[in-house]
Amino acid sequence: VRGAQAKEARGAFAGIVAEEYFSVITGFIRKHDPNHLILGVRFAGSAPDGVAEACGKYCDVVSFNYYCKNMDVNKQLFDNLYFLSRKPIMITEFSYRAMENRSGDRNTKGADVTVNTQEDRKTGFEKYVAQVMEFPYLVGYHWFMYFDQSPQGRSFDGENSNYGIVDIYDKEYEVLTAGMKKMNAAADR
């Protein structure tokens, strides 16, 4: 089996596996901890239809990492995930990194969402958040990450990016945080 048939078969199989996985794992969690939400598995970019359906069947929220290089959020992707899962969505990871940074990060490893300046990072945050705030099923978003990575890279994969709200010296990127404060203040509206 090749081509479209093979892709369809892989998707169906993934749905069967996900059904078993989510039923077992969430059953165990609910048995021992019935008073907390289950936030899914943090899909990275997308999930096969059957997997998204199974996640929605057993989890309270579908969590999703979504990086957007061009600052134009793919609403259809989110709408489809919500349609399949019928559960609220939480963006559990997104970010922009700038070549201009105080940590000396070269941004050669990691999600390729590179911009030139800290002002561009602020613009990216504001555009991204303004778009996702329009999604009625969105319950939250999380910027990756609090601090810049080491210029030498993370020990396990070498990621060396200016994703931080603060640099490696714990000094705030004020331009970025000003945009965050502005947009986050509007979130409840």
Side-chain angles (χ1 to χ4, degrees), residues 97-109:
R97 60 189 189 179
M99 295 309 295
E100 170 198 79
N101 66 80
R102 294 185 301 257
S103 296
D105 286 323
R106 295 180 321 143
N107 302 317
T108 58
K109 298 218 176 172

Side-chain angles (χ1 to χ4, degrees), residues 9-72:
R10 284 191 305 272
F13 180 72
I16 292 166
V17 171
E19 175 77 24
E20 183 68 15
Y21 170 81
F22 285 113
S23 71
V24 169
I25 297 300
T26 60
F28 183 81
I29 293 170
R30 291 195 195 287
K31 177 181 176 186
H32 296 284
D33 186 10
N35 299 316
H36 290 89
L37 294 173
I38 298 174
L39 303 180
V41 294
R42 292 182 67 197
F43 293 123
S46 66
D49 290 357
V51 176
E53 289 170 347
C55 182
K57 186 174 174 182
Y58 295 99
C59 297
D60 301 302
V61 174
V62 175
S63 54
F64 187 57
N65 295 352
Y66 180 73
Y67 287 84
C68 182
K69 183 176 180 144
N70 65 4
M71 300 179 194
D72 186 18

Side-chain angles (χ1 to χ4, degrees), residues 66-147:
Y66 180 73
Y67 287 84
C68 182
K69 183 176 180 144
N70 65 4
M71 300 179 194
D72 186 18
V73 174
N74 183 344
K75 185 176 187 308
Q76 183 177 353
L77 180 70
F78 282 88
D79 287 349
N80 190 55
L81 184 60
Y82 176 71
F83 174 79
L84 293 167
S85 68
R86 297 291 181 206
K87 290 294 171 76
I89 295 174
M90 180 181 296
I91 299 170
T92 44
E93 198 172 299
F94 81 104
S95 196
Y96 293 95
R97 60 189 189 179
M99 295 309 295
E100 170 198 79
N101 66 80
R102 294 185 301 257
S103 296
D105 286 323
R106 295 180 321 143
N107 302 317
T108 58
K109 298 218 176 172
D112 184 16
V113 284
T114 309
V115 295
N116 289 323
T117 68
Q118 293 299 315
E119 184 67 38
D120 294 336
R121 289 179 80 207
K122 174 185 166 228
T123 299
F125 178 85
E126 290 174 344
K127 285 183 176 183
Y128 187 107
V129 170
Q131 292 170 78
V132 300
M133 279 188 190
E134 298 296 321
F135 303 169
Y137 45 75
L138 187 79
V139 295
Y141 50 84
H142 173 263
W143 176 269
F144 180 81
M145 58 193 294
Y146 176 70
F147 51 85

Side-chain angles (χ1 to χ4, degrees), residues 149-181:
Q149 295 168 327
S150 166
Q152 289 76 34
R154 292 191 299 198
S155 62
F156 63 93
D157 67 358
E159 198 169 273
N160 59 351
S161 293
N162 163 237
Y163 292 130
I165 296 170
V166 300
D167 62 23
I168 59 174
Y169 309 103
D170 203 29
K171 185 168 185 242
E172 174 184 359
Y173 286 106
E174 295 89 358
V175 171
L176 175 63
T177 58
M180 290 177 161
K181 289 173 188 174

